[in-house]
Structures are given as structure tokens and as C-alpha cells.
Amino acid sequence: MKQRRVLLLGLDGATWRILDPMIQQGHLPHLAALREGGAHGELRSTIPPVTAAAWTSFQTGLLPGNHGVLDFRQHDATTYETYAVSSRDVPSPTLWELASAAGKRVALLNVPLTYPPRAINGAMVTGMLTPDLKAEMTYPSALRDTLLQRVPDYRILVSQSVFNLQGWSRFVEMSEQTVRARARAFRFLVEEEVPDWDLAMLHFQETDTLQHAAYPWLDPSHPEFSPQHFEKALSVYQAIDQEIGALLERYDDPDTLVIALSDHGHGAVSRTANVNAALAEAGLLELARSGQKGSLTALARAAMTALLRLDRWNLNRRLLPRGRRRRLVEQVQNSVGIAWDRTKAYMIHGWVYAYVNVNLQGREPNGVVPPAEYETVRQQAADALRALRDPETGKPVVSEVLFREQAFPGIASEEAPDLVAAPNPGYEFTASLLQSSKARVRRNLWRRDHTGTHSMDGILLAHGAAVRQAQVTDAALVDLFPTVLAWLGLPIPAYSQGQVLQTLFEQPLEVAIDDAATLEQFSRNRAYSPEDEAIIDERLSSLGYM
């Protein structure tokens, strides 16, 4: 038998709710073949089911309470602001680094949370948080120029702002072009740069971005399903399917394990709940009153409202880059919009899940809650979230509230928000208190807001001569880290929180544990310059993530 290898295919945010109908109608023959000829099932995401947290768990074998990456932006309690995360926030060795250290050859393309690139035994092109194509986006660094010469139409991703401004046809067209260019770039990596690869991964972001922009059009079970728009979007899903088929044709051999996966699932969203408004109604948060230091006058608030509402007509891109506008909004809200000396609990960021902090003395710069009252205030905030109801339906917005020690047990727990709220289906969250409207829940607008949001149920497909034909249950994203290491014959760090998915295989894999690998708290370093962070802010905002 030749040396084993693994081909990983990331379909960001992919869900069986959309893929199943496409497969049943014969639109995705290669994914259908993967499913019929191997193991498949749902893949449980992380808490929260957000790309930054989930792909970090996949790469490290750690849940967010230990790796500490919760979202694209992390809250800094010492400043009431946030900063963009990067690979430097990933505290432990990644799957790619462990394989490299064991002498395995590695090729990666477009995997999230890999910028700036960390050294591996092979080649890497970083993923969605790469500021632009001028950045240090490859390892080795000289690879960037060669890649862009070979694939001149390579792009990092296509944001939802293209749909907002230019419409569905252009958005879909650019997404398909991006899929094709990315696949060409990956073939260049695995055929020319690292032809002797043992571990390779290609990641597609387009499944996620399309579903965020127009989920109801893509899900046949949704009341707003649109056959016309569905047919148009099929070109992107079929492009991904065809590129996967081309890779399978070349690399489908007895020694190669192929795994297709998503970091989370997707579902429809139509309403956004304002967490800070709910906290204010519960008496836990106050806005600065006019005339006081830190106040936001009615005129200023109206101006901010108008600025935010420019999104509805997509004028924001013409008048002020969206990322810089959102950053300005955050700074204004956090610096002058909230009366910190009278606020006990607050939310700075979060959209899939809500992250709420107690304004604690000795931790926050203007903390007012004595440590002795921390638990009381935290419970009051949890009660306020549980009481949050949609005024149109009377139904609760929040499905579950967890304290941080419940949601994020581990060495990074102290860095996590004090409590986290998960929404009921159909809802997202916002922290904005700048708009004049006092509505706690508002309706999402097409071509401005998300119409699709993240869910816990991702997808898993495994294919290979050693893989059994079966439907897999109780598989988690974090399980793939030890499973890939075991397949490659490498020891699994003792700190890994995942389990080897032995149910994927006809015969159990041999498992070796590296007991000397202990989990340590690593320092995290900001990876972005202020200029790069502004670019990242704009991209995250154009995707609807801020």
C-alpha cells in the first residue's frame, strides 16, 4: 500500500436543506456519487456556529473555549471596541503544522483563518480575511506572484455588496468565475507546487455567500422560493460539483481519503433583534442624555439613522465605504452613544449569536458593577434576553442563553463574553442603538440584510476504499482534526477535544496519543495594520458580518 493521504473539500455553510433537492434532481452528480459511495451525515458545528470559530476548531481540534476565537472580530473589554482576528489568534499548532512537523507535504488554498500564513512543509494561499491580493497571502511568499501570473482572475471572494448593487445575475456570474479560478489555482498547487502532497485542502466560500444573500430563493421548502433565481444559482453549485468531480477523477485511489465538509449549516432569517434595546428596556443599559458628556443629540442620532438607512438603497458604497462607515458607527456608539457610568450590561458585537458582557469594575474601563454583584447582573441580563419577544408574533426571539462557563469551558473562557444567546430560527442579532427607531425587532430587507443565517447542522461526506457506506450520526466538526491525523498515521495531541470518527471506516483506525502535547495559553498578536484592518472591516461588512 502506498502512503495514505487526505483531500479535504470545504463548502462553507453548505446545508443538506439546499444540497438534497439539487442532488435529487440530478444537478450535482459528483456530490451524489460521494454520498452514495461512502459515508455521509450532518456535521455538528461549534458554539457559536460562525466561520471564524468553526474553522479554527477544525484546524486545531479545540473548541472555542480553548482556542479563544469566537467571531471575525473579538471584543476587547479594556476598550469597549473590537479587533479583526487572524491566524495569530490561533493559539495551538494547526493540523497543517502538525502534519508538516511529521514530514508530510501540505497544500492549502483559501482556508479561513490562515492569514497571515504560517510556515508549513508545502504551499499555502490564505483565505477570506486576507486584506487583498497585494498582501502577504502565500507561503512561501514568492508563490503569490507566480500564482497570480498563472491565475490572473483569482480573487479572494465575492461579497454580498455585489448582489446589493448589481443584482442577482452579476452576483452569481462573479461567484461562478471565482469558483473556476480558485479550482485552477488549487490544481496549480497540487500538480506543480506540491505534487507529492499528503494533505491538501480546497475551500469554497460561495455556498455561504449565496445563501446569506438569498436563502429563500435557494430552499424549495421556503415560501419565497424562486425557481427562476434557483436555476440561476445552480451554475455556482454545479461549478463546485464539476470541480470536485475533476479532482476525484485524478485523485480517487485506494490510499486517498476524500472528505467534503461545511463549517456550519444554513437556514432562513427574516428578522433582526436589537439586544441593547432589550437590555435598555430592562434597565441594564442607558444612552447618554442630551447635554451630558457622552451624549448623542437627537439631531446626531437622526443623522446616524440616515447614514445607516443608506444601505436600503445601497448608497453607502457610493458615499462612504461600508467597512469604514460601520467602524465609525461602532466607535460613535461605544464612545458617546452609551452612558457607561449608568450601564450594567451591554452588547458590542455578534449577529448569529448575541455576546453580552457585564460592565464590570476592574475589567471594563468604565465598569460600574462591583464584582460582588456580577452574578446578579448577569442573571438579569439573561432574563432580559429570554423575555425578548417579537412584537408581531409574540414568539420568543431567543432559544437559549448560556453563561460563558457553560458555552466556552476551557483556558480561554475568561476572554469570552459573560453570556451568549442563541436565536430561534428566523432571527439574527444586532448591537446598534443609533437608529431613531426604538423597535426591538425589525424586518430584514432584501439586498441589504441577510436572508440566510448560520445553523448548527453542517454537512459531512467521506469517500475512499476504506470508507464504509453508511449514514453517520453524532459527528462534530472538531472530530475531523483527530480523524485526519489518525488516517495519516500521526499521533493525536492529548488535548484534542474531538473523537476519531471510527464509524466512517470499514476497519477501525489505529490511534496513537501524544501525551506530551499539553494545552498552553499562547499570547495572541494583532496581525493587521490599521489600513489592513479597515479593508477587512469593509469586507466583513459587505458580507453582512458587521
Side-chain angles (χ1 to χ4, degrees):
M1 186 175 79
K2 296 180 181 178
Q3 187 167 285
R4 287 176 169 177
R5 59 184 180 179
V6 183
L7 174 61
L8 297 164
L9 303 165
L11 280 67
D12 205 285
T15 172
W16 291 121
R17 280 182 286 277
I18 287 177
L19 295 184
D20 265 337
M22 293 181 178
I23 289 173
Q24 291 166 6
Q25 295 169 21
H27 297 305
L28 308 177
H30 302 292
L31 285 174
L34 276 179
R35 187 162 74 168
E36 292 167 8
H40 72 279
E42 291 184 354
L43 191 64
R44 187 171 66 258
S45 188
T46 55
I47 296 176
V50 176
T51 296
W55 284 122
T56 301
S57 288
F58 163 77
Q59 294 180 68
T60 63
L62 298 173
L63 293 171
N66 275 318
H67 64 60
V69 177
L70 304 185
D71 216 317
F72 291 111
R73 298 195 66 83
Q74 297 283 92
H75 174 221
D76 181 358
T78 65
T79 64
Y80 295 119
E81 293 186 3
T82 63
Y83 63 91
V85 299
S86 74
S87 67
R88 292 180 183 170
D89 289 281
V90 179
S92 61
T94 62
L95 182 60
W96 334 115
E97 291 170 308
L98 291 174
S100 295
K104 302 294 184 183
R105 297 280 284 158
V106 180
L108 301 178
L109 193 134
N110 201 52
V111 179
L113 264 289
T114 52
Y115 178 86
R118 288 153 66 154
I120 58 171
N121 182 28
M124 175 195 305
V125 180
T126 58
M128 66 177 293
L129 293 184
T130 306
D132 53 38
L133 296 179
K134 298 177 182 178
E136 189 91 357
M137 56 178 278
T138 64
Y139 181 87
S141 58
L143 174 61
R144 181 189 62 183
D145 291 343
T146 305
L147 172 77
L148 296 179
Q149 289 171 2
R150 297 295 295 272
V151 189
D153 55 341
Y154 185 85
R155 64 168 62 96
I156 298 166
L157 55 76
V158 181
S159 72
Q160 184 177 328
S161 62
V162 174
F163 170 51
N164 297 351
L165 291 166
Q166 302 179 48
W168 187 242
S169 294
R170 180 57 176 157
F171 185 43
V172 169
E173 177 188 355
M174 288 183 65
S175 297
E176 182 182 354
Q177 291 170 352
T178 303
V179 166
R180 299 297 188 184
R182 188 171 297 134
R184 291 199 307 275
F186 185 69
R187 287 194 294 272
F188 164 66
L189 285 191
V190 296
E191 293 174 9
E192 299 185 40
E193 289 294 312
V194 196
D196 55 342
W197 60 270
D198 302 291
L199 174 59
M201 182 168 181
L202 168 60
H203 174 268
F204 294 105
Q205 191 69 38
E206 290 64 36
T207 39
D208 182 78
T209 52
L210 285 172
Q211 291 159 190
H212 272 308
Y215 182 92
W217 290 349
L218 305 176
D219 183 348
S221 69
H222 194 279
E224 294 183 64
F225 173 68
S226 169
Q228 176 185 356
H229 294 98
F230 176 85
E231 290 295 326
K232 187 73 176 176
L234 266 178
S235 64
V236 179
Y237 290 86
Q238 288 176 316
I240 293 172
D241 185 73
Q242 291 161 9
E243 298 297 349
I244 288 174
L247 291 171
L248 291 176
E249 184 176 355
R250 184 174 180 87
Y251 299 115
D252 186 11
D253 60 66
D255 305 306
T256 300
L257 172 64
V258 179
I259 297 177
L261 69 148
S262 65
D263 54 330
H264 54 77
H266 244 88
V269 63
S270 61
R271 311 278 283 169
T272 296
N274 193 316
V275 172
N276 280 336
L279 294 173
E281 187 170 288
L284 297 172
L285 180 146
E286 285 194 31
L287 293 181
R289 291 188 292 271
S290 178
Q292 293 183 335
K293 183 179 180 181
S295 68
L296 198 60
T297 66
L299 181 61
R301 190 177 303 283
M304 276 293 179
T305 298
L307 185 60
L308 285 167
R309 285 178 177 170
L310 291 177
D311 270 347
R312 184 167 188 172
W313 300 280
N314 299 304
L315 297 176
N316 54 304
R317 296 280 293 184
R318 299 177 176 89
L319 301 182
L320 184 65
R322 189 172 181 182
R324 291 178 176 84
R325 180 181 58 82
R326 285 294 184 187
R327 189 64 172 160
L328 172 63
V329 166
E330 179 182 88
Q331 290 173 340
V332 169
Q333 173 167 304
N334 298 345
S335 299
V336 304
I338 294 176
W340 294 111
D341 61 340
R342 298 189 305 279
T343 290
K344 295 182 178 181
Y346 64 95
M347 173 178 164
I348 291 296
H349 75 311
W351 51 287
V352 176
Y353 280 25
Y355 311 129
V356 174
N357 272 79
V358 173
N359 194 23
L360 188 65
Q361 288 180 357
R363 184 181 67 182
E364 273 78 357
N366 298 303
V368 298
V369 177
E373 297 177 16
Y374 170 83
E375 292 296 347
T376 299
V377 173
R378 189 165 68 154
Q379 186 60 56
Q380 290 172 343
D383 292 342
L385 293 175
R386 293 188 182 102
L388 179 58
R389 292 185 175 271
D390 190 327
E392 286 193 10
T393 66
K395 295 180 179 179
V397 171
V398 172
S399 66
E400 185 178 29
V401 178
L402 298 172
F403 293 147
R404 70 177 177 189
E405 61 271 17
Q406 297 170 310
F408 310 113
I411 62 172
S413 181
E414 292 298 312
E415 303 172 22
D418 293 314
L419 63 153
V420 59
N424 275 314
Y427 294 94
E428 285 185 332
F429 297 110
T430 182
S432 176
L433 274 177
L434 292 173
Q435 298 189 50
S436 299
S437 171
K438 296 180 181 179
R440 288 173 298 162
V441 182
R442 65 168 178 83
R443 185 174 297 278
N444 287 12
L445 295 174
W446 278 83
R447 296 181 69 171
R448 187 192 79 170
D449 300 312
H450 286 161
T451 60
T453 192
H454 298 182
S455 62
M456 288 291 293
D457 51 341
I459 70 161
L460 173 64
L461 293 156
H463 176 79
V467 176
R468 67 189 188 97
Q469 291 179 285
Q471 183 161 357
V472 179
T473 59
D474 200 31
L477 181 65
V478 73
D479 295 334
L480 292 176
F481 174 86
T483 301
V484 169
L485 289 175
W487 173 261
L488 292 173
L490 301 180
I492 299 165
Y495 58 72
S496 172
Q497 294 180 271
Q499 304 296 319
V500 176
L501 292 174
Q502 298 286 15
T503 54
L504 296 180
F505 304 100
E506 294 284 3
Q507 300 295 328
L509 299 179
E510 293 184 11
V511 176
I513 303 297
D514 180 4
D515 291 318
T518 58
L519 189 60
E520 298 177 13
Q521 181 71 52
F522 290 81
S523 62
R524 297 181 174 88
N525 301 306
R526 297 279 293 274
Y528 300 105
S529 67
E531 294 75 19
D532 283 350
E533 187 153 347
I535 295 171
I536 294 300
D537 284 353
E538 184 168 351
R539 177 171 303 138
L540 292 175
S541 292
S542 70
L543 289 166
Y545 293 166
M546 288 178 62

